Amino acid sequence: MKIDHTRTPMWIGTSWKMNKTIVEAQSYLESLDLAHVPACITPFVLPPLTALATLATAPNRDGRLLLGAQNAHWGEEGAMTGEVSMRMIKDAGAQLVEIGHSERREFFGESDQDVARKVRAAVDQGLTPLICVGESQAVRSTGDHVTFVRNQVGQALSLMDPTEHGQAMFAYEPRWAIGEFGRKPTIAEVAQVLDQLALQLGDLGNGVQIPLLYGGSVDAENAGELVELESVNGLFIGRSAWSVDSFNQILMRCGAFFPQT
Ligand code: PGA
């Protein structure tokens, strides 16, 4: 069955995390095939920062492909060794910036307050923040995971004016489903949380739809079922999109559910 997503574009993208040299990134772009991907799908790639500017100006880049960074600091400039600002990633060609991925929260101690500051800074620079939220297995075991995730959403937007909420995007990415040791969720597990978040985002958006993506063990096998979910506006993929052939396959599978316009 074809879904009517004509009013709701589908975002399908990947973060390469800490992978790929500049040459590897260029070669991925050369083989990325968007010709048969329907117009309602917005593809995006978040390369490592070292490859961002090269990809942004690559002669073979399809203009539909959005690019972004996986993180940036909230400060504008200054003595922040090792950090880059939102202004700098924008200058390098980013349109999106991922904020609050669970690996950043877990390995780099990023708090809800840090996330809120980064969201504020991103919007100030005209970047679209792709804000990641999601519970750990420990939180899920308490049964309070929906409250936990809803709270992360609220915190992330806490420094924004309600009229600005529509400039953000969210990805629900349960920690227990992410990465090599993650458990692939059932479609019902994903739907249960997405439905609740979609209601929350519906209220927060003040009439503007805030896109809600799903990420965590997405692959060519489950991508089709996931894009069919009523509350989903896209997929955010790690490992399964690090090979361009596999990302092409996922885009093709998802594309089959939409009108080919
Ligand atoms: P995965 O990662 O697809 O490799 O599980 C998802 C993510 O971290 O966004």
Side-chain angles (χ1 to χ4, degrees):
M1 198 184 85
K2 300 264 187 256
I3 315 167
D4 180 15
H5 277 292
T6 43
R7 287 179 306 145
T8 314
M10 265 284 154
W11 299 77
I12 300 191
T14 175
S15 161
W16 291 346
K17 304 194 182 181
M18 196 170 70
N19 292 290
K20 300 193 193 301
T21 61
I22 295 174
V23 167
E24 287 162 355
Q26 283 170 316
S27 125
Y28 186 107
L29 209 66
E30 273 159 30
S31 305
L32 185 61
D33 180 13
L34 302 180
H36 307 292
V37 177
C40 64
I41 291 183
T42 302
F44 65 93
V45 168
L46 311 184
L49 283 179
T50 44
L52 179 58
T54 307
L55 294 192
T57 53
N60 62 338
R61 175 179 166 208
D62 184 318
R64 290 174 60 195
L65 178 72
L66 300 186
L67 294 173
Q70 301 168 20
N71 176 43
H73 195 266
W74 60 79
E76 254 180 64
E77 58 188 6
M80 285 290 163
T81 300
E83 293 288 336
V84 296
S85 69
M86 298 289 171
R87 186 164 159 251
M88 289 156 77
I89 60 165
K90 186 162 187 207
D91 180 50
Q95 293 145 304
L96 311 170
V97 57
E98 179 180 3
I99 297 175
H101 187 276
S102 63
E103 286 154 11
R104 303 260 355 138
R105 294 178 190 257
E106 184 179 337
F107 304 141
F108 301 96
E110 218 161 270
S111 66
D112 283 334
Q113 201 194 4
D114 296 339
V115 169
R117 285 176 171 161
K118 290 181 180 197
V119 172
R120 176 72 265 160
V123 169
D124 285 343
Q125 289 297 330
L127 291 161
T128 299
L130 170 53
I131 306 158
C132 300
V133 294
E135 80 285 1
S136 62
Q137 183 53 52
V139 170
R140 174 161 274 256
S141 308
T142 67
D144 283 337
H145 53 288
V146 173
T147 309
F148 179 89
V149 177
R150 285 171 60 102
N151 183 49
Q152 285 184 323
V153 169
Q155 295 280 331
L157 297 180
S158 60
L159 299 179
M160 302 252 278
D161 186 85
T163 57
E164 297 172 311
H165 289 170
Q167 296 176 50
M169 295 169 53
F170 280 87
Y172 169 56
E173 299 213 319
R175 182 69 185 109
W176 50 268
I178 290 176
E180 200 185 336
F181 304 107
R183 170 175 76 75
K184 208 177 197 179
T186 64
I187 302 298
E189 282 174 323
V190 174
Q192 188 236 351
V193 181
L194 286 186
D195 288 348
Q196 296 299 317
L197 290 183
L199 287 176
Q200 182 187 15
L201 294 178
D203 290 341
L204 287 167
N206 298 302
V208 180
Q209 186 173 34
I210 302 176
L212 175 59
L213 283 58
Y214 170 74
S217 291
V218 175
D219 58 20
E221 234 173 65
N222 62 8
E225 280 181 292
L226 287 166
V227 290
E228 276 193 298
L229 289 175
E230 205 182 320
S231 301
V232 90
N233 308 118
L235 301 177
F236 191 24
I237 309 155
R239 289 157 297 152
S240 296
W242 292 347
S243 125
V244 68
D245 289 345
S246 169
F247 190 39
N248 281 335
Q249 199 187 356
I250 292 173
L251 285 165
M252 221 173 63
R253 292 244 170 127
C254 294
F257 288 89
F258 299 95
Q260 302 289 314
T261 48

